[in-house]
Amino acid sequence: MSENRKALLELNMGKLFMKLAVPGIIGMLAVGLYNMVDAIFVGQFVSGAGVGAITMAYNVVLVNQAILTLFATGAMSLLSRAIGEKDEETIDKLFGNVFIGVAILSVILTFVVYNFATPILHFLGARDDILVLGEKYIKIISLGFIVAGIGPALNMLIRGEGKMKSAMTIVFVGMVINIILDPIFIKVFDMGIEGAAIATVISQIIYLIGDLIYFKSGRSVIKLRKKSFKLSMDIMPKILSVGFSGMLMQFMSAIQLAILLRLMSSYGGNDSIIVLSSAQRIMMFAFIPMWGIGQGLQPVLGANYGAKQYARVKEAFSSFTKIATGISGVLWLLFMLLPKFILSWFITDQALVSSGANSFRMFLSVFVLYGFMITAITFFQALGKAGKAALIVMGRQVLFFIPISLILPLFMKETGVWLSLPIGDFLTISLAGIFTIGEFGILNRQIKGYKTELAK
């Protein structure tokens, strides 16, 4: 048994959390800073409209993230289970499927976005300065979609084998470069919002180079050879079936944000879009610790489920979920108490900050429950239960959110737009709770059956 596999199957949950989740949180925070840093520097050095423009562009970036998630999440789940089962053949095939799959679809997306940037932004509700700035930003960002897709996708494979510190280091280097270059390009070189986009693309190139160096170093269970850069269609269905729920979550996030921006453009105008853009940036960044915990939890669940250690699967989920909920609770409290302070990171107009504080609170009112939502999605992905994971995602971004977002504003106007997301999320989290209780019942029966089998 390899040292890493032994740790996943035998270490106590506290040590596994420190080994996998803490580096994962730090690494994911670094990922989140790519978008946060751009928004903060643009908000302070360009304008509030620039923050709105970046959020409009981010809606398209989510589509590229959906592409990488389709391949990387499925491959990550497959990798951790293959490690638990000691399936070397599957491990050797994963790199090429992720690399080539992401590259092909990202290039197609680049062509579409670069050539149709203006109509895309206009459809999302961009007007006036937000439209002009958004077009400048999104065209440059789209040219980097291929590296922005492959880099994070390969990094997820590193996390899938439990090497969270290595993954974190690579992400951290890219993030630091982005932070250094942003003010230089935006302010010193007077490139404005275009400078923010260029800084991001450069940092993403460094990110990808770091991943490739890691795989070439021989420290990975994945051996990087010439034959690694090819598609293996026999395992592609397994990758796509599990990755579909993660891809769907990203893609539906793009649709969800598009609906919010369109509705806010109709009911509130540019000022409301700026506040919404700032709140959305904060929400996405605050999600990062939970996603980091999920990334740390995934290999623990996958390896133990593959090894039929079902009691440890339950223990891991419960332990990591308690911590995730504690973190989401602390962040929720900060959002409720300090909305003006947080909004001022992005908005220099203090009158707009004051008027937007209550809307900010409404938008983030159920954040305290998000820790459980993320670990529940991770739980079903890691166990290969793609259908249940997909239903939770669909519940959040389609089944509940879309009807609520279209009906509530008819009666409550702009307030209805602000409340549509938290109400939909509350209903989704309730659904996730029902699914989790049912899955724990299945695990309990498997534990009993496995004990009976061993007794024989």
Side-chain angles (χ1 to χ4, degrees), residues 58 222 320 333 346 420 425 440-441 443:
Y58 181 67
I222 297 174
F320 280 57
L333 191 61
F346 308 91
S420 58
D425 283 351
F440 265 45
L443 288 172

Side-chain angles (χ1 to χ4, degrees), residues 83 151 187 203 297 336 357 364 401 440:
I83 291 172
K187 190 70 174 177
S203 65
L297 175 61
M336 297 304 105
L364 294 160
F401 169 74
F440 265 45

Side-chain angles (χ1 to χ4, degrees), residues 23-182:
I25 291 170
I26 296 172
M28 292 297 288
L29 283 171
V31 172
L33 280 172
Y34 275 105
N35 294 310
M36 275 282 289
V37 166
D38 277 1
I40 290 174
F41 281 120
V42 168
Q44 296 297 321
F45 296 147
V46 181
S47 66
V51 178
I54 289 178
T55 301
M56 294 284 183
Y58 181 67
N59 197 79
V60 181
V61 170
L62 282 171
V63 177
N64 196 47
Q65 290 183 0
I67 290 170
L68 75 90
T69 302
L70 173 63
F71 295 96
T73 303
M76 182 180 178
S77 175
L78 208 59
L79 175 60
S80 61
R81 281 181 281 145
I83 291 172
E85 297 164 359
K86 295 184 283 189
D87 183 356
E88 298 292 338
E89 183 180 354
T90 296
I91 292 172
D92 287 342
K93 294 178 179 179
L94 292 172
F95 184 94
N97 282 39
V98 171
F99 190 98
I100 297 173
V102 173
I104 292 172
L105 295 185
S106 291
V107 169
I108 294 172
L109 183 64
T110 294
F111 176 82
V112 173
V113 174
Y114 189 87
N115 288 286
F116 299 97
T118 300
I120 289 171
L121 292 168
H122 196 270
F123 172 78
L124 294 172
R127 303 289 186 272
D128 305 321
D129 288 348
I130 293 179
L131 178 60
V132 173
L133 293 170
E135 183 179 1
K136 293 178 180 179
Y137 185 82
I138 199 172
K139 282 194 168 185
I140 295 173
I141 286 293
S142 69
L143 295 175
F145 277 166
I146 186 168
V147 291
I150 296 174
L154 295 182
N155 201 263
M156 288 177 72
L157 284 181
I158 300 173
R159 295 173 207 158
E161 60 180 293
K163 300 292 183 67
M164 294 297 176
K165 289 183 180 179
S166 296
M168 175 201 69
T169 301
I170 294 166
V171 176
F172 186 77
V173 170
M175 179 268 294
V176 169
I177 290 172
N178 193 33
I179 291 176
I180 293 172
L181 294 181
D182 255 332

Side-chain angles (χ1 to χ4, degrees), residues 34 42 56 60 94 125 130 145 159 163 165 190 199 246 265 290 293 315 319 334 337 340 354 365 369 374 386 402 453:
Y34 275 105
V42 168
M56 294 284 183
V60 181
L94 292 172
I130 293 179
F145 277 166
R159 295 173 207 158
K163 300 292 183 67
K165 289 183 180 179
D190 197 25
S265 179
M290 272 70 76
I293 291 173
E315 181 188 1
S319 299
L334 293 174
L337 295 176
K340 294 180 182 178
S354 296
S365 57
L369 303 175
I374 298 303
I402 290 181
E453 185 181 328

Side-chain angles (χ1 to χ4, degrees), residues 54-55 74 86 123 134 139 164 194 218 246 250 272 334 354 364 374 383 387 393 405 414-415 421 429 441 448:
I54 289 178
T55 301
K86 295 184 283 189
F123 172 78
K139 282 194 168 185
M164 294 297 176
E194 292 163 297
Q250 293 289 345
S272 296
L334 293 174
S354 296
L364 294 160
I374 298 303
L383 270 57
V393 174
S405 67
E414 184 180 341
T415 300
L421 181 69
I429 292 163
K448 187 179 294 186

